[in-house]
Each structure stands twice: as structure tokens, then as C-alpha cells.
Amino acid sequence: MAATLKLILIALGFASVFLLVGLLLRSKIKVLQKLFLPASVIGGIVGLILVQVFSRVGAVAEQVTNYVSVMDALPAILIVPIFASTPLANFKRKDNIGAAAGKATAGIANGVFWLMCGIFTVQMVIGFGVNFFMTKAGSAIPFYKVWGFELAAGFTGGHGTAASIGAIYSGIPAVAEFASQGKDVATTFATFGLIGGMILGIIFINIAARRGTTAVMKKPAALEGVALTGLQKDVSKQESLGRETTKSFTIETLSVHLAVILGVVLASYGVSALLGRIPAIGSLLKQLPVWSIAMVLMLLANKLISALKLEWMFDKKVVQKLSGFMTDFAIVCAIASMNLKTIATFIVPIVICSVIGFVVTYFYVFKLTKFITGTEAPFEHSIIAWGTSTGVLMTGLVLLKVCDPNYETSTLNNFSKGFAIMSIVQAAILGVVMPILIGKTDTLGILLVSLVMAVAFTAGAVIVGIVRRKRLAKVTV
């Protein structure tokens, strides 16, 4: 046991070094700054290169393999507390939007929800479609039946969701043997999406500024300083990590938050074991990922916290920092432990899916968002949706910050509301719908169900747009 814990500690130590190297490179290399690559992604790539080098050195090859095996397993473990933390401290608060602003933006948040669910499922259709048609065409590539789901997990889900693919597949007997491959493919999609989405996003912003279609920015973006390096050296401008709700002589605030998160994780594993013992349906319920159970339990924990009037003890900013800290390690470990042979095997369909994914995502997001928002900052709503559906939420926020630096439009408020609800639906698709589909049907069946979901969500977005236009027309009459 001690030897295993030591192995984990050393593996985390290497991951920490990779993160710091990534931070150093990001702060010094202009190209990396302009790509807005997180230190975790840069560090993960550095780690991947070093792993490939030292795994071929006979004297340390076995030790490197052991450390890599730990890093390969860590994302699937860390994803449980990461997802468990998501609902914590999401207590109801009154909206401060004025009445006039409320009329202008009414329904946009709902539209964002349908839009983001739609693009997630459309990306699923693209992935499964490439799998199905290349297989039917007699491709020699060894597709497994669920190959292609990784596109949506990597693009709209991001590196954190990509890291969870291994855990999802490993819990489904039909595809358990492809858990490692799925994680590697999804992580590759996430990396392609993050880099491509950011580069294209900056190009889109500059084109829009020249055409005068941006609501706030009047000239092409010129980023410098903190906006590029991500480092705030001015102590007077450094923000707080969050509220200190307890005093350290009793217990640290971080300890309270982390204890609740890990307590829910513990309960989730217990519930998962109990569900697996239910007669008749136990085998089906056992396929539910632990992290999806953890999210539900945390929602219940929120209710209990509110009932006990303990909301003051929990700060959403602290929760986000804890989640971000775990996500950084999950990402760097996922990338550093990728199997290059797997990527080489699927590189052709990965590139095909990525290209189609970028093109379809662009037209879907920009056209449909404009239809939903009308004249209410259509480009700003589109660019944050683009960044989020090709990278992560932070990618979308960075792109929005470029063209709306002071958040003068209603974009951030509308998107955050719609995306929060979409995240719950995405988790349900990841943790409930997909495991059931994977266990019960083939690639064609999964493709058809994905298509039905994509059509339904798209129809929802279109209906929101139509209703908004009718309401605004009545207001202006």
C-alpha cells in the first residue's frame, strides 16, 4: 500500500513539474500566448514528449511506464470530484437585470440552452457518421462501435470531459476494452478543438471588427500584457481566491469545501454499489458513472445546506478554484499519458471529423445564434458559443473578453444561464443516455438516436427565436 501511494505521489510530482514548465513556456513564448493555450495543455504536451523519450531509455523505462500508468488512471478518478463540485454553492439569487434589459434579452438564455445542446449532439452525429460511413466503405481502420462520440466530448466537452471518457467506457462491458483508446482520441479532439477554435475565433473577431458587426469593439483586437500572459504581476490588481468563511484556528475554508465535495464522492460510490444490487435492473443501473450520481447527490446537498441556512459557509469562487485545480491536473495527466500509437491509428478519421466539426459548428453556431438573438449583440453571443463548443467555457470567455472587454452587452449573463442548464443535460447524455445506448445498440442505432436529439434541440432553438421575434414585435408596436 505504501509503495502504491508513493508511486501516486511521484506521478503527481511529475505532473506538477509539467504544469510549471507549461506556465513558464506560456509566459515566455509569444506564439503560445497568442494561441491562448492553458499551461496544463502546454505542460501535458511537454510531458508527452518527455515520456516518449525516457520510455525508450532502458535504465528508467520500467519506472516511466509505472508513472505513466498512474497518470493515465488519474483523470478518470479526478473527474468524479470535479463533476461533484459543479453544483455546490449554486444557491438561488435574485437577478439584477433591469426591466428594459429584461425585455430585450428575454428568452436568449433559453435559446443558448437549446443551441449548446444542439451543437453537442450535432457533433455526436458527425463523429458517429464518419465511423459508420467509413466502416461501410470498407475502411481498414479498426473502428469500435462507439468511436466518434469523442468528437463532441472533446470539442464541446473540453479536456475535462475528454478525460472522463475512459471512466465512462470502462463502466460499460460492451466497450470497456476501448476505455484507454477512447480517452486518447477524445483528448486529441479536445486539443485540436482548443487550438483551432481559439485561432479561428480571433480571426472571426478581427473580421467582424473590420465589417462593423461587433457591438462594442470598433477596431481589430490588439491584445497585450495580462491578456496574453495570463500573469498578473501588479499586486494591487490581483484578485482574491474567494471568501474566507471560517477561521483557520477552527478549520480552513478550503478544508470545509473539499470535505463536502469528497464526502459526496464517498456517498456516490456507496450509492453506485447499492444500485448495482437492485434485482432485475441492477446490471443496468451499475452502468451509471459515479460522477453522474455525484452531481445528483451534490444537488441534494445544496438543498440540505439551504435548509440548514448554511449558505454563508460556501463560496462559489472557492468551489471553482478547487475544481479548476483538479482539472489542471486531470488535463496534464491525460495529455502526458496519451498513447501515440492510438492517435496514429485513428489520425485520418480524427482529422476528417475535426475539419467537418469546425465547419458545421461555425455555420450552426453563428447562423442559429443570430436567429435567436436578433439585434441583441448577435456576434458576441456567437463568439462565446463558438469558443465553448470547440474548446471549453474559458475559451469562449476569453474570446468574448477580446470583443466585449467590460461585458457591456448582455452576452455573459445570457450565456452563463443557458450554459449552466445545458451542462446538466450534457452530463445526463454522458452518464445516462450514452451508456444505455452503447450497451443496447450498434453504431447505426447510436447515430440515429443522436440525430433525433440533434433535430429536437435545434427545433427548440428555432422555436425560441420565433417566439422572441414575435414578442419583440409586439413590444415595438
Side-chain angles (χ1 to χ4, degrees):
M1 178 63 73
T4 301
L5 292 175
K6 180 181 177 181
L7 184 65
I8 295 173
L9 188 60
I10 293 175
L12 286 172
F14 279 118
S16 302
V17 172
F18 298 155
L19 278 171
L20 292 175
V21 171
L23 176 62
L24 176 64
L25 294 176
R26 168 67 191 268
S27 67
K28 298 296 183 182
I29 301 176
K30 298 296 183 182
V31 173
L32 298 179
Q33 293 174 7
K34 292 181 179 180
L35 290 176
F36 289 93
L37 288 180
S40 55
V41 173
I42 300 170
I45 294 173
V46 171
L48 179 62
I49 294 171
L50 293 176
V51 165
Q52 300 308 310
V53 172
F54 286 101
S55 62
R56 289 168 172 75
V57 179
V60 295
E62 184 177 352
Q63 289 177 308
V64 170
T65 300
N66 291 335
Y67 298 142
V68 171
S69 65
V70 172
M71 286 191 281
D72 184 54
L74 276 173
I77 300 299
L78 289 174
I79 206 67
V80 181
I82 289 171
F83 274 89
S85 67
T86 303
L88 180 58
N90 283 342
F91 305 120
K92 290 184 178 180
R93 290 184 172 86
K94 292 183 179 180
D95 214 335
N96 294 320
I97 300 177
K103 289 180 181 179
T105 63
I108 293 181
N110 291 334
V112 169
F113 161 73
W114 291 103
L115 171 81
M116 293 305 296
C117 288
I119 192 57
F120 181 71
T121 48
V122 164
Q123 289 171 353
M124 286 170 56
V125 171
I126 294 170
F128 291 130
V130 169
N131 178 351
F132 178 76
F133 288 110
M134 286 188 72
T135 300
K136 286 295 182 182
S139 171
I141 297 171
F143 289 109
Y144 41 94
K145 74 173 183 177
V146 76
W147 192 98
F149 179 53
E150 296 90 351
L151 173 64
F155 267 39
T156 300
H159 281 90
T161 303
S164 72
I165 291 298
I168 293 173
Y169 288 2
S170 62
I172 307 170
V175 293
E177 62 182 296
F178 305 113
S180 181
Q181 289 178 308
K183 187 213 70 169
D184 292 339
V185 172
T187 302
T188 304
F189 274 124
T191 304
F192 282 9
L194 183 67
I195 296 173
M198 185 58 75
I199 293 173
L200 292 171
I202 294 297
I203 293 173
F204 297 155
I205 290 172
N206 281 276
I207 292 174
R210 290 190 180 94
R211 292 179 175 176
T213 55
T214 50
V216 178
M217 190 173 70
K218 301 305 178 185
K219 60 181 180 179
L223 299 176
E224 57 185 16
V226 177
L228 285 176
T229 64
L231 302 177
Q232 181 55 271
K233 298 179 181 179
D234 187 342
V235 177
S236 65
K237 296 180 180 179
Q238 293 174 351
E239 298 179 2
S240 170
L241 289 174
R243 291 182 292 108
E244 187 175 349
T245 61
T246 60
K247 291 300 182 181
S248 57
F249 59 77
T250 298
I251 188 172
E252 292 288 351
T253 298
L254 289 175
S255 300
V256 173
H257 287 70
L258 192 58
V260 171
I261 293 170
L262 296 182
V264 167
V265 169
L266 172 63
S268 302
Y269 278 104
V271 169
S272 179
L274 291 174
L275 290 175
R277 295 182 180 182
I278 297 177
I281 60 172
S283 58
L284 179 62
L285 294 177
K286 194 175 182 180
Q287 294 182 14
L288 291 175
V290 174
W291 57 262
S292 64
I293 299 173
M295 288 188 71
V296 174
L297 293 184
M298 186 60 80
L299 289 170
L300 297 177
N302 260 359
K303 294 289 185 182
L304 178 61
I305 291 170
S306 296
L308 296 174
K309 301 186 184 304
L310 295 175
E311 294 100 328
W312 57 267
M313 188 178 286
F314 299 93
D315 180 29
K316 188 60 185 176
K317 198 171 183 180
V318 172
V319 175
Q320 291 171 340
K321 295 304 179 184
L322 284 171
S323 176
F325 144 71
M326 290 184 287
T327 300
D328 281 339
F329 275 90
I331 291 172
V332 75
C333 288
I335 296 176
S337 62
M338 286 196 300
N339 188 325
L340 293 183
K341 290 182 179 179
T342 298
I343 298 172
T345 299
F346 295 106
I347 191 62
V348 172
I350 285 175
V351 171
I352 292 173
C353 277
S354 296
V355 172
I356 297 174
F358 280 128
V359 173
V360 173
T361 299
Y362 170 79
F363 284 104
Y364 188 97
V365 166
F366 278 84
K367 297 299 182 182
L368 194 51
T369 301
K370 186 176 181 180
F371 182 77
I372 293 169
T373 60
T375 58
E376 184 65 28
F379 179 80
E380 285 70 20
H381 283 88
S382 297
I383 201 66
I384 189 174
W386 162 264
T388 305
S389 57
T390 55
V392 291
L393 176 59
M394 187 52 64
T395 309
L397 291 174
V398 168
L399 291 174
L400 176 63
K401 186 75 173 177
V402 173
C403 57
D404 184 11
N406 297 314
Y407 300 131
E408 296 175 45
T409 69
S410 61
T411 303
L412 182 59
N413 180 70
N414 293 328
F415 192 85
S416 60
K417 288 180 178 179
F419 185 76
I421 304 172
M422 176 269 180
S423 298
I424 297 173
V425 175
Q426 178 180 295
I429 293 174
L430 283 166
V432 180
V433 178
M434 287 309 300
I436 293 174
L437 281 176
I438 293 170
K440 298 294 183 180
T441 187
D442 56 7
T443 302
L444 179 59
I446 301 172
L447 171 60
L448 293 176
V449 173
S450 300
L451 183 60
V452 170
M453 289 193 292
V455 171
F457 287 128
T458 303
V462 170
I463 291 171
V464 169
I466 293 172
V467 170
R468 280 200 75 248
R469 288 166 181 265
K470 289 182 177 180
R471 286 179 177 175
L472 290 176
K474 290 181 180 179
V475 171
T476 55
V477 171

